[in-house]
């Protein structure tokens, strides 16, 4: 009876609670799936809509650029194309056909290449680049009365922009990407300002399209003062041909010496003909000096200044002078394309050097970003065939400029050596963009531990602002002479800025150096480099290779022999307060040593410490131990009675028995990011006052240098 009664009840009453719960869950799940599909459809439609509008914007800008009535009165400049993998620029459109540069999914090829402009960032298909408009950044506008805005399509996303630059410079309305349509935008390649294409006519009528180079006008090299040299004036002529052979011989001999001294394979084996090569080196240089030194110097000075300058008669000075003139003449005859003329007194252009092979391996992206913000002429790439001399030669007539080095400690030393050779009366101060592995000098000068720190602090725009308002400080530079038992040089001297190491720490640096030479692809960013350093160090923790170092090394400080501890496996000589990526070897705050002075990088004094093996070095890295202080002094002599790995500023080699002598070489002007805003503005103001006083002939360059040194010491 009950069963017949339940049969007549509705289905929702007859079901049990478990089945009701299952059906409700199924209903909720189906509603959720339907909702997600609907939302995805809406988002996809909106994305396609936005993409079509963006494409229409680009086409509108392209049409407006082709319109002769709205064409800017600036000289044409072709793009500087390089081959680049399409996988790195998938999101861009071709600047000619306006289609995506990435191939379709059915024809995707990882080896496909496109043309990419190193200056403005535009991309093009290989078949389209030949017909691209010549609307790239014009680096030379010599002869123009005013610098005009160079409006162009913003082909690539600019990461180094302030918030104010996202507004139209005329109507001050947002210039963000379109969603429901709107007016297309132009971007000035010099000041980075944006303007609606519809607002450009009104802006042109009111301002004449004059560009002021934007907020970084003091560090940007204006194209009005960049003169492009003709081939006839930039060619070297017959005199260059005569000296080219001798210069190449000297270069090949130096390269042979360097390769032999850096050799470290099969149990630290090294060639025995280093002294013979050194004698060849000296003989070649003497020959060049005697045969061509005076004639080349007189001809070069006569060609530049209209008069002949006499060369000093002293032998050593004559050799150095001929080397400098040789490098200068090579730069002038081979690489000189532009000349800087009649810069205004208030200009403080920035000369940038980039080493693509530094630890972070981001030289290409840095160069493009700096080309967008600055004049590409003032951005120089360092390589084995082109050193800093070409950029310094270009800026030789600029009264006041600053230098930015994008690289590691080795690159900074390379640039400082080149500045020394130029014999500036008042050398330019140097800032650092830390792109190496350790970046110890950049840490001491408060520029950061790496590129990541720079990006977190605001990117390159903030960096340029900080360089303009940085404080000038002093860095001691030291000369390392490598002598035999008779006191004669075994190889040309080296120069030290940070530190010198003998023993276990140099062994790790040398192994990493050899690994980098054999497998450069493994060292593709700063973090991986540090991991490889840690791995090589871990391999040697239990290996007491240098347990007998105290009996095979003799250390003298200011003529007094210093006892090396019996457990020491390495001796370090430090000039700055950072070692191997931030380790403080001296610890100025340590009160347990009463007979030592605090460490300073401009007191003309070096600090000597010892470490007791790789385990001790590892504890130093994590702050669980400290190095053992040995001595302080102005002259250091280290005698090696056996072969040891040696490293200077992270550049290692294996050294046979010899005597290492470290003496004070000079001081370099460096730029330090000030922690306090008021202090930075005060330092920048004082430096400006001194530079203006020199410009107005109130003081000379030597007096300005002395005053800057005194100011740096007091502010430190």
């Amino acid at each position: 009876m009950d069963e017949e009664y339940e049969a007549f009840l509705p289905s929702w009453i007859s079901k049990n609670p478990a089945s009701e719960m299952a059906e409700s869950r199924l209903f909720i799940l189906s509603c959720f799936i339907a909702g997600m599909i609907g939302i995805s459809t809406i988002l996809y439609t909106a994305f396609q809509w936005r993409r079509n509008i963006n494409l229409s914007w680009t086409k509108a800008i392209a049409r407006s650029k082709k319109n002769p009535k709205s064409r800017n009165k600036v000289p044409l400049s072709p793009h500087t194309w390089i081959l680049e993998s399409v996988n790195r620029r998938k999101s861009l459109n071709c600047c000619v056909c306006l289609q995506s540069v990435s191939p379709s999914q059915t024809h995707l090829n990882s080896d496909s290449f496109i043309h990419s402009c190193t200056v403005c960032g535009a991309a093009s298909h290989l078949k389209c680049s030949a017909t691209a408009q010549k609307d790239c950044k014009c680096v030379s506008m010599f002869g123009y009365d005013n610098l005009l805005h160079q409006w162009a399509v913003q082909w690539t996303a600019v990461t180094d922009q302030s918030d104010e630059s996202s507004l139209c410079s005329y109507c001050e309305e947002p210039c963000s990407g379109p969603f429901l349509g709107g007016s297309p935008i132009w971007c000035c390649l010099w000041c980075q300002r944006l303007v609606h294409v519809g607002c450009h006519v009104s802006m042109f009528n009111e301002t004449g399209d004059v560009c002021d180079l934007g907020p970084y006008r003091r560090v940007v090299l204006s194209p009005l003062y960049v003169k492009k040299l003709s081939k006839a004036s930039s060619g070297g002529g017959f005199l260059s041909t005569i000296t080219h052979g001798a210069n190449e011989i000297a270069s090949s001999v130096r390269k042979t010496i360097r390769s032999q001294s850096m050799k470290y394979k099969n149990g630290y084996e090294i060639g025995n003909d280093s002294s013979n090569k050194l004698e060849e080196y000296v003989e070649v240089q003497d020959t060049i000096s005697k045969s061509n030194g005076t004639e080349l110097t007189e001809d070069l000075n006569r060609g530049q200044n209209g008069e002949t300058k006499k060369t000093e008669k002293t032998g050593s000075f004559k050799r150095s002078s001929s080397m400098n003139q040789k490098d200068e003449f090579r730069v002038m005859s081979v690489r000189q394309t532009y000349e800087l003329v009649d810069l205004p007194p208030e200009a403080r252009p920035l000369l940038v050097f980039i080493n693509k092979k530094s630890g972070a391996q981001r030289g290409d992206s840095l160069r493009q970003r700096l080309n967008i913000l600055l004049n590409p002429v003032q951005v120089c790439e360092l390589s084995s065939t082109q050193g800093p001399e070409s950029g310094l030669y270009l800026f030789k007539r600029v009264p006041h400029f600053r230098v930015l080095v994008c690289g590691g400690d080795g690159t900074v030393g390379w640039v400082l050596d080149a500045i020394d050779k130029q014999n500036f009366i008042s050398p330019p101060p140097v800032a650092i963009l830390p792109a190496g592995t350790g970046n110890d000098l950049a840490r001491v000068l408060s520029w950061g531990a790496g590129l990541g720190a720079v990006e977190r602090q605001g990117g390159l725009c903030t960096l340029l602002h900080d360089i303009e308002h940085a404080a000038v400080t002093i860095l001691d530079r030291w000369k390392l002479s490598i002598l035999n038992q008779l006191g004669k040089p075994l190889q040309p001297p080296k120069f030290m800025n940070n530190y010198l190491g003998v023993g276990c720490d140099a062994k790790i640096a040398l192994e990493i150096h050899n690994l980098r030479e054999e497998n450069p692809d493994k060292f593709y960013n700063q973090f991986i480099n540090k991991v490889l350093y840690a791995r090589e160090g871990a391999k040697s923790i239990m290996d007491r290779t240098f347990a007998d170092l105290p009996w095979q090394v003799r250390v003298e400080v200011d003529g007094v022999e210093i006892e090396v501890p019996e457990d020491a496996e390495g001796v370090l000589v430090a000039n700055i307060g950072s070692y191997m990526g931030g380790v403080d070897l001296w610890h100025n705050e340590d009160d347990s040593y009463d007979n030592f002075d605090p460490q300073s990088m401009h007191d003309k004094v070096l600090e000597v410490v010892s470490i007791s093996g790789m385990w001790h070095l590892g504890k130093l890295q994590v702050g669980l131990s400290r190095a053992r202080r040995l001595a302080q002094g102005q002259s250091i002599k280290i005698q090696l009675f056996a072969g040891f790995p040696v490293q200077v500023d992270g550049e290692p080699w294996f050294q046979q028995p010899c005597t290492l002598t470290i003496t004070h070489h000079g001081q370099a002007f460096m730029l330090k990011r000030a922690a306090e805003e008021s202090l930075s503005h005060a330092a920048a103001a004082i430096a400006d006052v001194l530079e203006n006083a020199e410009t107005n002939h109130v003081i000379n360059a030597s007096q300005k240098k002395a005053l800057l040194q005194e100011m740096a010491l007091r502010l430190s």
Side-chain angles (χ1 to χ4, degrees):
M1 184 67 180
D2 294 336
E3 295 178 356
E4 294 179 358
Y5 177 74
E6 291 178 357
F8 289 98
L9 292 177
S11 60
W12 60 272
I13 296 178
S14 61
K15 290 182 179 179
N16 55 42
S19 60
E20 292 179 2
M21 184 67 68
E23 289 186 3
S24 62
R25 289 178 177 176
L26 182 62
F27 176 75
I28 294 174
L29 180 62
S30 60
C31 291
F32 176 77
I33 293 175
M36 292 299 297
I37 293 175
I39 294 174
S40 301
T41 304
I42 295 174
L43 292 177
Y44 178 77
T45 305
F47 172 77
Q48 292 294 332
W49 189 13
R50 180 186 177 91
R51 184 176 181 181
N52 293 334
I53 293 177
N54 279 332
L55 184 59
S56 66
W57 266 41
T58 306
K59 291 181 178 179
I61 296 174
R63 287 194 299 269
S64 64
K65 293 289 287 183
K66 294 179 181 179
N67 186 358
K69 295 182 180 180
S70 62
R71 195 171 188 174
N72 295 324
K73 304 300 181 181
V74 295
L76 300 178
S77 180
H79 293 279
T80 305
W81 299 116
I82 60 169
L83 283 176
E84 194 172 51
S85 174
V86 70
N87 294 327
R88 300 181 58 184
R89 309 296 293 273
K90 285 184 178 180
S91 59
L92 297 182
N93 293 331
C94 175
C95 65
V96 179
C97 67
L98 307 181
Q99 300 298 320
S100 175
V101 296
S102 60
S104 60
Q105 296 296 328
T106 56
H107 299 88
L108 186 62
N109 183 5
S110 60
D111 296 330
S112 298
F113 290 91
I114 59 171
H115 272 150
S116 174
C117 180
T118 60
V119 176
C120 66
S124 169
H125 296 112
L126 298 181
K127 62 181 180 180
C128 299
S129 58
T131 58
Q133 292 188 44
K134 297 180 179 181
D135 57 353
C136 192
K137 203 170 190 175
C138 185
V139 300
S140 175
M141 299 184 189
F142 184 75
Y144 283 69
D145 295 331
N146 296 304
L147 175 63
L148 302 180
H149 287 294
Q150 192 172 355
W151 302 112
V153 182
Q154 199 171 33
W155 295 107
T156 183
V158 180
T159 58
D160 305 291
Q161 268 189 343
S162 59
D163 296 335
E164 292 79 5
S165 61
S166 62
L167 302 177
C168 174
S169 57
Y170 181 77
C171 67
E172 298 183 356
E173 294 294 329
C175 287
S176 56
F179 183 75
L180 298 175
S183 176
I185 58 174
W186 277 344
C187 175
C188 178
L189 296 179
W190 289 105
C191 64
Q192 311 305 318
R193 291 189 178 97
L194 303 179
V195 65
H196 295 117
V197 174
C199 299
H200 176 254
V201 177
S202 301
M203 180 178 177
F204 179 82
N205 294 332
E206 293 183 10
T207 65
D209 242 10
V210 176
C211 179
D212 63 355
L213 294 176
Y216 310 110
R217 61 183 65 90
R218 280 168 57 89
V219 299
V220 177
L221 178 62
S222 173
L224 296 177
Y225 311 109
V226 180
K227 180 180 179 181
K228 188 172 184 179
L229 300 178
S230 62
K231 293 183 179 180
S233 60
S234 62
F238 180 68
L239 190 59
S240 175
T241 305
I242 294 176
T243 59
H244 182 70
N247 294 342
E248 289 299 320
I249 294 174
S251 177
S252 62
V253 172
R254 288 196 302 271
K255 185 175 181 181
T256 303
I257 296 174
R258 190 181 302 112
S259 63
Q260 290 294 332
S261 63
M262 298 294 285
K263 191 71 174 177
Y264 170 69
K265 287 183 180 179
N266 300 326
Y268 304 121
E269 290 184 0
I270 189 170
N272 297 323
D273 56 345
S274 297
S275 59
N276 296 333
K277 294 297 182 181
L278 182 65
E279 293 175 1
E280 281 184 31
Y281 169 81
V282 175
E283 290 176 2
V284 170
Q285 296 308 317
D286 284 338
T287 303
I288 295 174
S289 299
K290 293 177 182 179
S291 61
N292 298 329
T294 305
E295 292 82 356
L296 283 179
T297 304
E298 292 183 355
D299 289 338
L300 186 58
N301 290 332
R302 184 185 299 112
Q304 290 181 356
N305 303 324
E307 58 182 4
T308 302
K309 297 182 180 179
K310 294 183 179 180
T311 306
E312 295 288 339
K313 301 299 182 180
T314 307
S316 60
F317 180 84
K318 182 177 180 181
R319 182 180 303 166
S320 175
S321 177
S322 66
M323 285 291 293
N324 290 340
Q325 295 290 356
K326 182 204 70 173
D327 293 337
E328 182 177 301
F329 196 84
R330 181 189 298 176
V331 170
M332 184 183 69
S333 62
V334 178
R335 303 187 180 98
Q336 193 69 7
T337 307
Y338 298 97
E339 181 183 8
L340 307 186
V341 182
D342 299 332
L343 267 74
E346 66 274 8
R348 304 290 186 270
L350 186 67
L351 175 59
V352 183
F353 294 108
I354 299 177
N355 186 358
K356 294 201 304 183
K357 293 186 177 181
S358 291
Q361 300 285 319
R362 291 173 58 181
D364 289 331
S365 62
L366 280 177
R367 181 172 185 179
Q368 181 175 331
R369 292 167 63 184
L370 287 167
N371 282 340
I372 292 175
L373 294 175
L374 304 173
N375 191 327
V377 170
Q378 61 189 118
V379 182
C380 305
E381 182 178 318
L382 300 177
S383 65
S384 58
T385 58
Q386 177 172 315
E389 291 80 12
S390 59
L392 293 171
Y393 183 84
L394 175 66
F395 275 66
K396 67 181 177 19
R397 295 181 181 177
V398 179
H400 309 298
F401 69 96
R402 297 185 169 189
V403 175
L404 173 64
V405 180
C406 306
D409 294 326
T411 307
V412 176
W414 187 7
V415 174
L416 291 178
D417 289 344
I419 292 177
D420 274 349
K421 293 178 182 178
Q422 301 300 315
N423 295 323
F424 288 106
I425 299 178
S426 181
V430 179
I432 305 174
L433 176 59
T437 302
N439 303 312
D440 290 294
L441 189 54
R443 293 170 188 265
V444 172
L445 297 174
S446 303
W447 293 112
L451 291 176
V454 175
E455 300 295 350
R456 289 191 296 270
Q457 293 174 353
L460 295 183
C461 286
T462 302
L463 178 72
L464 294 179
H465 174 271
D466 292 341
I467 290 174
E468 187 175 354
H469 298 93
V472 178
T473 188
I474 301 295
L475 173 69
D476 287 328
R477 306 196 69 228
W478 302 84
K479 179 181 178 181
L480 172 65
S481 301
I482 304 175
L483 311 175
N484 61 12
Q485 295 179 352
L486 301 177
K488 295 184 178 180
L490 293 174
Q491 56 181 283
K494 301 177 183 293
F495 297 96
M496 183 187 81
N497 304 311
N498 301 354
Y499 43 75
L500 174 142
V502 177
C504 60
D505 74 303
K507 175 178 178 290
I508 299 301
L510 190 52
E511 290 174 347
I512 290 295
H513 171 77
N514 293 326
L515 183 61
R516 187 197 295 266
E517 292 293 322
E518 296 173 358
N519 303 287
D521 296 338
K522 290 185 177 181
F523 297 81
Y524 55 87
N525 66 42
Q526 187 180 17
F527 175 76
I528 295 299
N529 296 352
K530 290 185 176 181
V531 170
L532 293 175
Y533 266 96
R535 187 190 70 177
E536 295 298 325
K539 291 180 180 178
S540 304
I541 284 181
M542 305 305 295
D543 180 18
R544 290 183 54 84
T545 306
F546 305 104
D548 54 351
L549 180 139
W551 297 274
Q552 294 181 341
V553 170
R554 184 173 183 266
V555 180
E556 289 185 12
V557 178
D558 292 338
V560 179
E561 183 176 355
I562 302 299
E563 181 181 356
V564 179
E566 293 185 359
D567 62 343
E569 293 191 34
V571 175
L572 301 172
V573 180
N575 182 47
I576 63 174
S578 180
Y579 165 75
M580 286 188 67
V583 176
D584 187 356
L585 294 174
W586 196 251
H587 288 280
N588 285 339
E589 69 279 2
D590 191 350
D591 298 330
S592 59
Y593 296 91
D594 297 331
N595 55 338
F596 291 116
D597 296 325
Q599 185 183 44
S600 175
M601 64 180 180
H602 45 65
D603 59 356
K604 300 180 182 180
V605 174
L606 291 171
E607 286 71 35
V608 184
V609 300
S610 67
I611 54 177
S612 55
M614 293 307 305
W615 179 248
H616 186 200
L617 193 61
K619 291 195 294 183
L620 287 176
Q621 287 283 345
V622 296
L624 297 179
S625 183
R626 295 186 178 184
R628 182 171 179 177
R629 295 184 181 184
L630 298 182
Q632 284 180 304
Q634 297 179 336
S635 176
I636 313 296
K637 181 185 291 186
I638 303 176
Q639 289 182 292
L640 305 181
F641 301 107
F644 282 98
V646 180
Q647 60 104 357
V648 173
D649 296 346
E651 304 296 328
W653 74 96
F654 189 80
Q655 182 61 53
Q656 296 293 345
C658 70
T659 298
L660 306 176
T661 302
I662 307 174
T663 55
H664 193 261
H665 172 67
Q667 291 182 320
F669 284 127
M670 306 298 293
L671 291 174
K672 182 176 182 179
R673 175 184 278 161
E676 299 179 5
E677 192 70 17
S678 58
L679 181 61
S680 64
H681 284 298
I686 295 174
D688 274 343
V689 169
L690 295 178
E691 290 172 350
N692 291 332
E694 181 192 2
T695 302
N696 297 327
H697 306 290
V698 177
I699 59 176
N700 57 32
S702 299
Q703 292 171 331
K704 185 197 76 172
K705 178 181 179 181
L707 291 172
L708 279 176
Q709 288 175 331
E710 184 65 23
M711 179 195 71
L713 294 176
R714 292 182 180 273
L715 289 178
S716 299

